[in-house]
Structures are given as structure tokens and as C-alpha cells.
Amino acid sequence: MSSSRGPARPALPTTAYAILGMLAVRPWSAYELTQQIRRGLSTCLPTVESVLYDEPKRLVRLGLVSAKRQAVGNRTRTVYRITAQGRKLLAEWLATPPRLEVPVMLRLLYADQAGKEDLLEAITSARTWALDRAPDALAQVRGYLTDGGPFPGRLHIIAMFARFYVDLFGAIIDWCDFAEDQIRTWPDTANVGMTDQTRTLLEELEVRLRAFADRADSQAQQQSDRSNVV
């Protein structure tokens, strides 16, 4: 019995979709593509440079991207373009729910399997990561305000992207400061349990989460009301 369903969507890493997204904006050479991803996506896509050069070649083999050699002076370069199949796959991926991964939280969650100093070092690294990105981000924002950057027609999207990461940097820095103060009061990372500080923190979280839950209920009711009207 034959199936009417089309071919399954290939399993691709997030880097592949980032490249498809960049190529949906315009064609790029391999060097340009890598530099632009480094400039614009380094905060959300920390990928080694070799992957950024290899992934477009794999997308070509999958028929999602085309590659054409162009002469540039005495040299040639490869220019990549997204194909119709690549655009279709990108659109399907954009319609799927996103996932947020925060590796430093795994370091915290299993901190009782290591020492307190290891955990404090991981927290220091997370805060340093956020602080180190501020100068480049500041320069980019100033560039957008000065001349609109390389894609002025996309500034409404770029500004929203930047707002998320500025908020995220602030949240990471604030949390690291808070966590560091708390952890330094622990005798160790294991078997500390319900301290007065822990109870106070859980009570504060209960209040905040109750507000989120109330908002979720309200949003679900609004969606239900709209469905009933339709």
C-alpha cells in the first residue's frame, strides 16, 4: 500500500537552518556567509568556523542550496543560493515550536556531583560570556543608528532580535550575581537542603509563577473565545 505523504524532512542541525535563513536574504560566498553569521548570529549560534564552511556543501548535496563558481579578479569563489526546496524546508522549520537550551543550567543541576568551586567557576564563565559580548553588540547597535547597517529594510526584525539578547545578557548577569552570593553561603554543593534562604527563594518563585499561570489561563481562555466566535 503506497503512502500519499511526501518525503520526510531531513534531520538538520540548527546551523543548517541558520545558513538557509541567511541565503533566503541574499546569495553569499562561503567567506561572506561565515563572516555574516559570525557578525549577526554569534550570540545564538556559537559554531566553530569549520562547520560554517562545511555545512553549505552538505546543503548542496541535499538539494537545498545551489553552488556556482564565479571569477573574482584572478581568483574564483563559490557563491551559494537557496533553492525552492530549501525555502520550503526553511518555512516548515520556522513553523515548528522552538527549543531553548541553556547548558550552564546542567552544570548547576548536577553541581552536587562536583565541588563548590567548580560551580562558581561555571557561573563566572556564564557572566563573562554575557559581559564580553556587550562591546560588539554596542558597536552594532550604534552602526544601525548611524547608517542602518547592511540590511536597513530588516531593522524592525534586527532590533527585536537585539532586544532579546540585551535582555538575556542582563538576566544572565543578574542571575550570576545572585547565584554567586547564594552559593558562597553553602558549606558544599551536596546535602544542603531546605535552608532559610532556599525557602524564601521558593516562596518568591511561587508568587511569580502564580502570576505566569494566571496569564496562561487568561490567554487560553481568549484563544478559546476566539475559536468559538469563528
Side-chain angles (χ1 to χ4, degrees), residues 40-122:
L41 303 182
S42 60
T43 51
C44 64
L45 194 69
T47 305
V48 297
E49 193 161 306
S50 61
V51 173
L52 297 180
Y53 276 100
D54 291 342
E55 193 62 32
K57 299 174 185 177
R58 188 164 77 97
L59 295 176
V60 170
R61 292 195 296 270
L62 291 171
L64 304 174
V65 169
S66 67
K68 183 178 181 180
R69 300 291 293 176
Q70 289 185 349
V72 181
N74 296 326
R75 298 183 298 174
T76 61
R77 66 176 186 173
T78 301
V79 175
Y80 294 103
R81 296 176 182 270
I82 191 171
T83 64
Q85 183 182 351
R87 287 187 184 277
K88 181 175 182 294
L89 193 65
L90 176 63
E92 291 174 356
W93 177 76
L94 289 171
T96 61
R99 296 183 303 173
L100 180 63
E101 298 180 4
V102 187
V104 70
M105 289 297 101
L106 288 177
R107 303 291 186 95
L108 173 64
L109 190 59
Y110 302 118
D112 52 358
Q113 304 302 311
K116 187 166 75 170
E117 291 305 315
D118 293 326
L119 177 57
L120 288 170
E121 184 176 340

Side-chain angles (χ1 to χ4, degrees), residues 118-182:
D118 293 326
L119 177 57
L120 288 170
E121 184 176 340
I123 289 171
T124 297
S125 296
R127 179 171 47 222
T128 299
W129 177 88
L131 290 171
D132 283 352
R133 274 146 185 79
D136 286 344
L138 177 60
Q140 281 187 253
V141 169
R142 285 173 172 169
Y144 296 139
L145 290 170
T146 300
D147 59 17
F151 301 105
R154 306 187 76 240
L155 276 178
H156 59 299
I157 296 172
I158 292 169
M160 292 290 288
F161 179 93
R163 167 62 189 269
F164 174 85
Y165 275 97
V166 171
D167 286 351
L168 179 62
F169 295 159
I172 290 173
I173 293 164
D174 289 345
W175 180 86
C176 287
D177 291 345
F178 168 80
E180 190 173 62
D181 289 343
Q182 294 282 311

